[in-house]
Amino acid sequence: MNASQDDRRSTGLGPRAVWALVLTGAAGFMAALDNLVVTTALPAIRADLGGGLEDLEWTVNAYTLTFAVLLMFGAALGDRFGRRRLFMAGLAVFTGASAAAALASGIEGLIAARAVQGVGAAIMMPLTLTLLTAAVPAARRGMALGIFGAVSGLAVAGGPLIGGSLTEHISWQWIFWINVPIGLLLIPLARLRLAESTAPGARLDLPGTLLISGGLFGIVYGLVNANAHGWTSARVLTGLIAGTALVGGFVLHGFRAKHPMLPMRLFRDRGFFGINIASLLMYLGMFGSIFLLSQFLQGVAGYSPTEAGLRMLPWTAMPMVVAPLAGVLADRIGGRPVVAAGLAFQAAGLAWFALILDPAVSYAAQLPALVLSGIGMALYFAPAAHVLMSTVGTADQGMASGANNALREVGGALGVAVLASVFSARGGYESPSAFTDGTVPALWIGAAAVAVAALLALLPGRRRTAPAPAAEPAVALEKVTALS
C-alpha cells in the first residue's frame, strides 16, 4: 500500500504541486494581464488624467521597460537569496504598486506606479516556473507547465476585454485594483505552501544591469520625446546618444566580463541571433500596433471600451485555438518554417490594416486582418521556445530563455515608442482623419519590422550538446510561455 501511495505521489499532482500551480499561475496571470489590460483603458485615462501621446506611451512603457531590463536580474536575486522569499517580495511590490496606480491623481503618478509594477513583475515572474517545476514530479511536469501556459495565454487574450469592461462599467482604476486582493491573498499562501530553494554560487551582474537599464531608458526617452521637443533638441539627442553608448557598453561587457547576465558568445550562433532578433521585431510591430489600434477602435470607430476589447479577441485569443495545431505542424516539418510562417501572417495582418484603415472602415473589413494577425501570433509562439532552446547547450538554456523574454519586452517598449513617434509625426488626436493619417504609416513600419523578423527566423542554428548542469534543471524552463 505504501509503495503504491509513493508511486502516485511521484507521478501525480499532490497537494504541494497543486498549491504551486495555483499560486504561480495566479501570479503569472496578473503579470501577463498587465501587459495588455491598459491598452483599452488609454482613452479613459487620457480623458481623466490628461497628458499627451508621450504620457500614454510611458503609461505602457514604464511597465514593459522596467520588466524587461530587470527580468534576468530578478531571476539571479531569487537564485542567490531564496526563490520563495524573492517571489513574495516581488508580489508585495507588484501589489503595492497596483494600488498606487489606482490611487494616482495625475499622469506622472500613474507612470511612476507602472514603473514600480514592472520592478515587482521582474522579480516575481522569472521565479514562477522555477518554483512550479521544483514542486511538480517530472512525470507530470509537462501537464503542469501546459496549464500554466494556458492561464498566462488566457490573461493575454482577455487583457483588452477585461480592461475595456472594467473601464466601461466601473472605472479605469479597477484595472489596477483587481490585482490588490489577489496579491494580498497570494503572499501569505506562498509563505505557507511553497518550498524555499536557492542556486549555490549564483552571481549578480550589477554593472550589466545598470548599463542595459540606463541604455534602454535613454533610447526610449529620446524616441518618446522626439516629436514634442524635436529630433535635434538637447534632451532627445542626449537620450539617444547616451542610451546607444550604454547599450554598446553592455554588449562589450557581455564579451569581456567573467559572469555577465547575457554572454554575447551566444549570439555567435546564427540561429540564436535570428530567433532573438526576430522576437524583438515581432513584439515591436505587434505591441506598437495594438497601442494605436485599440485607441482607433474607440476614438475613431466609436466603440465602447468593452466593445473594443471584444473586437480585439480574434487577434489576441486566436493563439488559444491555433497553438496546439501549430505544435503538431512544427513536429512534422520543423519549428523554424512554422515560426517564419507565423511572422509572415502577422506582417500580412498589419499590412492589411494599413491598406484598409479609414475613419469609416467597417469591422467586417478589419476582421480578416485581425484573424491573420491572430493566426500569425499562434504559429510564432507555439514552436518559438523549442527553436530557441535548440540553438544552445543544456547549461545555457535558462540564460537563453531569460534573454529571449527580456528582448521581447524590450521590443514591446521600443514598438510603442517607435510607432507612436511615427504616428505623432504624421497625425494626431485632433480628428478621426488625423488619427488615421498617423496610424497608417505606423502600421506599415510595424508590418515591415515583422516581415524582417520572418526572414531572420529562418537562419539555421547549430544544435549544441552539453552535459546537464549540476544545478536543478528548473531554470531551463524559465518564461517559455507566450506573452507573459
Side-chain angles (χ1 to χ4, degrees), residues 70-420:
L70 296 176
L71 191 63
M72 297 180 74
F73 189 67
L77 285 174
D79 287 344
R80 182 166 183 176
F81 297 111
R83 291 158 181 157
R84 182 185 65 183
R85 182 181 293 115
L86 266 294
F87 176 74
M88 292 167 57
L91 265 173
V93 171
F94 185 86
T95 303
S98 296
L103 293 169
S105 58
I107 194 71
E108 294 85 1
L110 177 60
I111 292 168
R114 286 283 286 167
V116 179
Q117 261 193 318
V119 173
I123 298 170
M124 170 179 72
M125 276 305 296
L127 304 174
T128 52
L129 288 180
T130 310
L131 291 165
L132 177 59
T133 306
V136 176
R140 297 297 186 204
R141 203 165 283 159
M143 178 183 71
L145 291 171
I147 294 171
F148 182 93
V151 169
S152 297
L154 186 63
V156 172
L161 178 59
I162 293 170
S165 298
L166 290 173
T167 299
E168 181 178 354
H169 299 295
I170 309 178
S171 70
W172 64 263
Q173 284 88 350
W174 275 91
I175 66 176
F176 302 114
W177 279 128
I178 194 174
N179 294 326
V180 176
I182 299 173
L184 291 176
L185 180 64
L186 292 180
I187 293 170
L189 286 175
R191 175 65 180 84
L192 295 171
R193 300 295 181 180
L194 295 177
E196 184 61 281
S197 65
T198 58
R203 293 177 173 86
L204 301 178
D205 182 11
L206 187 58
T209 301
L210 293 174
L211 283 169
I212 193 62
S213 300
L216 289 174
F217 176 82
I219 291 171
V220 172
Y221 179 85
L223 290 171
V224 167
N225 286 281
N227 283 290
H229 299 279
W231 286 94
T232 57
S233 68
R235 71 171 67 190
V236 171
L237 288 176
T238 300
L240 293 175
I241 294 171
T244 303
L246 288 172
V247 170
F250 174 76
V251 172
L252 193 62
H253 175 78
F255 279 115
R256 293 184 172 179
K258 248 187 176 182
H259 301 286
M261 63 188 296
L262 180 56
M264 291 298 152
R265 60 178 171 79
L266 296 176
F267 287 92
R268 290 172 180 156
D269 185 292
R270 288 186 302 168
F272 183 84
F273 173 85
I275 191 64
N276 276 286
I277 303 305
S279 296
L280 185 148
L281 292 173
M282 159 69 171
Y283 267 58
L284 188 153
M286 182 189 66
F287 261 79
S289 300
I290 289 177
F291 173 79
L292 294 172
L293 288 172
S294 60
Q295 296 182 72
F296 176 88
L297 288 173
Q298 294 180 65
V300 178
Y303 296 116
S304 70
T306 304
E307 290 170 338
L310 280 170
R311 281 161 175 77
M312 293 290 284
L313 283 178
W315 187 350
T316 58
M318 189 63 70
M320 303 289 288
V321 179
V322 178
L325 300 175
V328 172
L329 188 61
D331 288 339
R332 290 188 177 180
I333 67 172
R336 290 186 187 281
V338 178
V339 168
L343 292 168
F345 272 109
Q346 178 74 83
L350 295 178
W352 188 304
F353 264 121
L355 285 169
I356 58 97
L357 212 62
D358 180 85
V361 67
S362 67
Y363 181 68
Q366 299 174 54
L367 190 58
L370 290 164
V371 172
L372 270 176
S373 297
I375 293 172
M377 189 189 295
L379 292 176
Y380 162 78
F381 280 124
H386 177 70
V387 170
L388 172 74
M389 294 307 180
S390 72
T391 65
V392 295
T394 304
D396 289 325
Q397 285 185 347
M399 202 175 298
S401 179
N404 185 257
N405 282 280
L407 284 169
R408 292 191 323 205
E409 297 293 337
V410 167
L414 289 175
V416 171
V418 170
L419 269 62

Side-chain angles (χ1 to χ4, degrees), residues 427-442:
Y429 289 97
E430 296 80 17
S431 67
S433 59
F435 194 96
T436 305
D437 289 343
T439 302
V440 169

